[in-house]
Structures are given as C-alpha cells and as structure tokens.
Amino acid sequence: MSVILVWTDGRGRVWLDTGETDPARGEPVIELLNGGTRGPLRWVAEHFAPLRRLSP
C-alpha cells in the first residue's frame, strides 16, 4: 500500500508530496493540489506557514 504525504497551509490549501527530492536541500518537494506552486518543504513552510501534515 502506498501513502501520499499531504499538508495544509495557513489558508487551508492542500499540498501534496511530488515524490521528488530537492537535490540542494535533500528534502521532499511538495506542490499545491492545483499545481500552481511547488518547492522544497522548508521553502513552502517559510512562505505559506503554518504547514500541518494531514497524512499519517
């Protein structure tokens, strides 16, 4: 069984793990559900805080 990691931001938007890793930071790359914005997890957390992980 596969699990997709999911977060919500301070505005209630949903972010999904893309399955990619940022080579410079070594952390997951996440993307808005609508595909409008994507970036490394820490960058997203800095710009769209607070992030809350919804998936187990």
Side-chain angles (χ1 to χ4, degrees):
M1 178 173 93
S2 296
V3 175
I4 297 174
L5 300 177
V6 179
W7 294 263
T8 186
D9 67 18
R11 296 183 184 176
R13 295 173 296 193
V14 176
W15 296 79
L16 302 174
D17 187 337
T18 64
E20 299 174 19
T21 301
D22 180 81
R25 296 183 182 212
E27 59 190 31
V29 174
I30 64 175
E31 178 175 51
L32 268 175
L33 183 59
N34 70 2
T37 304
R38 67 185 295 162
L41 183 61
R42 190 176 330 148
W43 178 85
V44 173
E46 290 169 0
H47 291 86
F48 299 97
L51 282 186
R52 185 173 60 121
R53 188 167 156 182
L54 299 176
S55 55

